């Protein structure tokens, strides 16, 4: 197993990689939760060739290697999802992630023409999805080369159960669609789900998070 250039943490990294390759649930203990310390370590790993960005009000964060060295040399033969969650188990504080197994679910894995693999992860909180909140971890045969996305960290203390009944919420959704599309016919509720929703997130502006009920309405035409 090839371990990356982490001279002060080589034992930790080796042990963590071995533990994580055995099972996707075996998340190693972090060496630090301080984003500044973690970013400094990535700077050391890459010889200073790191791009990082943070927009706290929008929950957007990004970190990428801009040189030849990856952010982290990991077990490239492992499953892509395992590799992504291992990276976030060590460097998750850079994105606001505390527990990648509990807080993230894999949405899909994609590959581009250059051979890079991208693991798309959706945020969950308290067993509910967080609308529009996703992280993407980028990797290749050399290691983890970047990560970026949105991760909401203001959800603690929000309710987990809706105050209104499901039927009342469905009725309200249908009424809203009829108001905006008066000529639509055959309207019906196709799906529903309880979730967390942050206003302004998709527009990239500050907002507020709520427990919300998503109703998908489909028309006959």
């Amino acid at each position: 197993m090839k371990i990356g250039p982490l001279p002060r943490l080589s034992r930790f990294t080796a042990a963590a990689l071995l533990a994580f390759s055995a099972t996707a649930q075996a998340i190693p203990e972090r060496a630090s939760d301080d984003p500044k310390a973690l970013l400094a370590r990535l700077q050391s790993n890459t010889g200073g060739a790191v791009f990082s960005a943070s927009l706290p009000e929008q929950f957007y964060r990004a970190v990428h290697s801009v040189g030849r060295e990856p952010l982290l040399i990991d077990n490239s033969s492992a499953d892509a999802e395992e590799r992504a969650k291992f990276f976030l188990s060590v460097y998750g504080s850079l994105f606001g992630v505390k527990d990648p197994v509990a807080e993230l679910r894999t949405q899909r894995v994609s590959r581009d023409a250059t051979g890079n693999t991208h693991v798309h992860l959706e945020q969950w909180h308290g067993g509910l999805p967080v609308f529009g909140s996703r992280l993407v971890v980028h990797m290749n045969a050399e290691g983890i080369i970047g990560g970026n996305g949105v991760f909401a960290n203001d959800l603690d203390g929000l309710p987990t159960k809706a105050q209104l009944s499901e039927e009342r919420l469905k009725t309200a959704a249908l009424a809203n669609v009829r108001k905006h599309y008066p000529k639509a016919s055959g309207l019906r509720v196709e799906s529903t789900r309880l979730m967390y929703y942050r206003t302004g997130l998709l527009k990239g502006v500050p907002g507020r998070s709520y427990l919300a009920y998503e109703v998908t309405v489909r028309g006959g035409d």
Side-chain angles (χ1 to χ4, degrees):
M1 182 177 296
K2 187 177 180 182
I3 305 302
L6 300 177
R8 296 184 180 180
L9 296 165
S10 57
R11 288 186 182 178
F12 162 76
T13 304
L17 280 171
L18 288 171
F20 196 77
S21 63
T23 170
Q25 302 299 318
I27 298 298
E29 182 180 354
R30 296 187 192 190
S32 174
D33 282 324
D34 180 10
K36 291 184 178 180
L38 293 175
L39 186 59
R41 193 194 309 172
L42 293 179
Q43 293 280 358
S44 175
N45 291 354
T46 60
V50 172
F51 165 81
S52 64
S54 178
L55 301 173
E57 290 186 346
Q58 300 173 19
F59 296 135
Y60 178 82
R61 300 169 180 86
V63 58
H64 292 268
S65 171
V66 292
R68 298 181 61 182
E69 297 295 330
L71 300 176
L72 173 69
I73 298 177
D74 67 340
N75 180 7
S76 60
S77 64
D79 177 78
E81 179 181 358
E82 288 188 18
R83 294 179 67 189
K85 290 188 176 180
F86 171 75
F87 172 72
L88 292 172
S89 73
V90 181
Y91 293 101
S93 292
L94 291 171
F95 306 93
V97 178
K98 297 179 181 178
D99 184 347
V101 168
E103 297 176 317
L104 295 166
R105 297 189 184 183
T106 301
Q107 186 183 45
R108 63 188 177 93
V109 177
S110 63
R111 293 174 176 81
D112 60 32
T114 64
N116 294 331
T117 298
H118 314 278
V119 180
H120 305 252
L121 303 152
E122 184 180 40
Q123 182 183 1
W124 283 63
H125 180 82
L128 297 175
V130 184
F131 183 80
S133 187
R134 299 184 179 94
L135 294 177
V136 185
V137 178
H138 314 277
M139 62 194 71
N140 59 25
E142 301 299 321
I144 306 299
I145 57 176
N148 64 277
V150 174
F151 189 88
N153 52 19
D154 66 343
L155 305 176
D156 291 337
L158 291 179
T160 58
K161 295 183 179 180
Q163 295 181 351
L164 301 178
S165 69
E166 182 175 349
E167 289 305 316
R168 184 173 176 181
L169 292 166
K170 288 180 179 179
T171 300
L174 283 169
N176 183 275
V177 174
R178 289 192 182 102
K179 177 180 177 181
H180 288 87
Y181 301 93
K183 295 183 179 180
S185 61
L187 294 177
R188 67 186 187 281
V189 173
E190 184 177 63
S191 64
T192 63
R193 65 171 178 168
L194 195 63
M195 64 195 311
Y196 290 105
Y197 181 87
R198 182 174 178 82
T199 61
L201 184 65
L202 298 183
K203 295 181 179 180
V205 298
R208 181 179 175 184
S209 296
Y210 297 89
L211 179 68
Y213 202 75
E214 180 189 69
V215 181
T216 302
V217 177
R218 182 175 294 275
D221 53 1

